[in-house]
Amino acid sequence: MVPQPLIIDCDPGVDDAIALLLAFASPELQILGITTVAGNVPLQHTQTNARKICELAGMRQIPIFAGCPRAMLRSTLETAEYVHGATGLGQITLPEPQIPLQEQHGVDFLIATLLAAPEPITIATLGPLTNLAIALIKEPRIIPQIREVVMMGGAITHGNVTPSAEFNIYTDPHAAAVVLTAGLNLTLISLDVTHQAIATPERVSKIRELGDPIGSTVATLLTQYSSHDMGQYGFAGAPLHDPCVIAYLLRPDLFTARPCFVEIETQSAESLGRTIVDWYGVAGKAVNVNVVETIDSDGFYQLLTERLA
């Protein structure tokens, strides 16, 4: 098996951290680097958290880059400490990382790596799309070098930061619009899918029973992380958003999807960041996104638990 070359762009974040651990445990993936962006928490924390998670997993060889500290046009940074904790990893304390932060900017790493690659590279985006959008604007020649972008973002039915918008898209809707109109091979995993992947107490217990530092850390993160969503949505636990992206790369058979035309609302103050999905082709526009509809949540948690072990 030839591992699939992959760049992960993220804003750790509890669910980003678990997505990284799932990716680290998957020999099908060759992780070329991790780029970080401001999102769940400011950039100073997201880049530090990425390095902490790499050290926790013993993955010190993966280079980590800091990218954009704010959205393309919005002057106020939207963050989610109320979900992820003040520094992004809930209440747990991991040692200060010894892995160095790379000096190169995350956007420049994306461009240089893609242009130099002998074959197209997959990009997994787990946070706001600022880094990728800036890279596409700065160097359009990277487009044919991108095999696929699998992104966690968007809300087809109900938003989580406004009635119609999901956090990653709302934080930088203009970046999302750039990415969706760039002519890329895109797969979108929205809240409508991730809200099917609930970390119930039974599923968290199975992870805790792994009995090692990884399992206990993930179980603790999930227990703390669940409180917000249980209160807001009445779920039995937290939905695991970002690990669904990595699971899709590993086991697309766990998901169903259909091609649609998708666009992002960037003009309306009331609907800023809304993900507009043309399910039935009524707009008559060419499809541009593979929109995931469902997930086999039992299969997803079985995969996650087995890999964390």
Side-chain angles (χ1 to χ4, degrees):
M1 178 186 65
V2 178
Q4 179 179 351
L6 176 70
I7 296 172
I8 301 176
D9 186 69
C10 57
D11 61 336
V14 170
D15 55 331
D16 303 72
I18 297 171
L20 290 174
L21 292 171
L22 176 58
F24 296 160
S26 300
E28 302 97 321
L29 305 175
Q30 179 192 6
I31 304 173
L32 303 178
I34 297 169
T35 54
T36 59
V37 67
N40 287 320
V41 287
L43 184 65
Q44 68 188 74
H45 293 311
T46 61
Q47 57 90 356
T48 300
N49 291 342
R51 292 185 290 140
K52 286 181 177 181
I53 295 301
C54 281
E55 288 204 351
L56 175 68
M59 302 296 285
R60 296 175 177 84
Q61 76 280 12
I62 299 176
I64 300 167
F65 303 83
C68 296
R70 49 158 284 187
M72 289 176 58
L73 297 182
R74 301 186 70 191
S75 58
T76 302
L77 175 64
E78 297 287 337
T79 56
E81 288 94 344
Y82 58 92
V83 177
H84 297 271
T87 64
L89 293 179
Q91 305 303 314
I92 69 166
T93 301
L94 294 176
E96 284 301 308
Q98 301 303 307
I99 298 173
L101 181 68
Q102 300 295 309
E103 292 185 6
Q104 188 178 29
H105 192 281
V107 170
D108 295 325
F109 166 75
L110 282 169
I111 292 170
T113 303
L114 288 163
L115 290 181
E119 60 180 313
I121 295 170
T122 298
I123 300 176
T125 65
L126 313 181
L129 292 163
T130 316
N131 286 338
L132 180 56
I134 296 294
L136 291 166
I137 292 169
K138 184 176 182 180
E139 183 48 88
R141 288 185 299 158
I142 66 175
I143 292 173
Q145 291 291 95
I146 299 174
R147 179 178 180 269
E148 180 181 20
V149 175
V150 182
M151 54 184 286
M152 190 281 129
I156 300 168
T157 53
H158 308 294
N160 63 354
V161 289
T162 75
S164 62
E166 175 272 336
F167 176 84
N168 286 344
I169 303 298
Y170 181 75
T171 298
D172 197 343
H174 304 93
V178 168
V179 172
L180 263 66
T181 56
L184 299 168
N185 178 19
L186 286 169
T187 292
L188 174 71
I189 300 178
S190 72
L191 291 181
D192 296 69
V193 176
T194 64
H195 280 183
Q196 301 170 40
I198 303 299
T200 62
E202 294 77 14
R203 289 165 172 164
V204 174
S205 292
K206 289 182 179 178
I207 293 173
R208 192 181 298 279
E209 288 168 4
L210 296 176
D212 59 13
I214 298 292
S216 61
T217 298
V218 170
T220 300
L221 284 171
L222 285 175
T223 300
Q224 298 168 351
Y225 177 62
S226 293
S227 60
H228 174 269
D229 289 333
M230 291 171 70
Q232 181 164 340
Y233 305 111
F235 293 159
L240 265 187
H241 308 290
D242 296 333
C244 289
V245 171
I246 305 302
Y248 180 86
L249 293 172
L250 300 171
R251 291 281 308 277
D253 59 296
L254 295 175
F255 301 81
T256 64
R258 69 160 114 171
C260 298
F261 172 73
V262 181
E263 60 184 336
I264 305 299
E265 175 58 58
T266 59
Q267 301 299 318
S268 167
E270 293 78 11
S271 301
L272 183 68
R274 181 186 176 197
T275 307
I276 304 169
V277 178
D278 187 2
W279 281 117
Y280 303 109
V282 296
K285 297 181 179 180
V287 300
N288 60 341
V289 178
N290 182 44
V291 180
V292 177
E293 293 184 86
T294 67
I295 180 175
D296 174 354
S297 58
D298 287 336
F300 165 72
Y301 275 96
Q302 181 179 354
L303 172 67
L304 177 64
T305 306
E306 289 174 352
R307 293 300 172 94
L308 292 178

